[in-house]
Amino acid sequence: MSRKSISGLVGIVVGGAWLANNYKYFDEQGFVAIGMPLLILVVGIVFFIQGRKSS
């Protein structure tokens, strides 16, 4: 596995865990609570896919 794939996998895990944790605040804060974790999750997925293609 390439370094980009590993970085993407870490982003997926961290972003997904943070997103799951912040869903309880979604009623109070709206998209502010899930914006950054969602961004990290999406970038992690993109990096994982790009790393798999380059291998």
Side-chain angles (χ1 to χ4, degrees):
M1 220 188 297
S2 70
R3 295 178 77 179
K4 203 168 199 176
S5 291
I6 294 171
S7 296
L9 198 56
V10 169
I12 292 169
V13 170
V14 170
W18 192 9
L19 185 63
N21 187 39
N22 279 4
Y23 265 123
K24 58 186 168 188
Y25 304 115
F26 186 72
D27 291 336
E28 300 167 3
Q29 298 177 358
F31 287 107
V32 174
I34 64 169
M36 191 63 163
L38 191 60
L39 181 67
I40 292 172
L41 180 66
V42 169
V43 171
I45 291 169
V46 169
F47 268 43
F48 184 73
I49 291 171
Q50 286 181 350
R52 299 288 288 172
K53 285 182 181 177
S54 66
S55 295

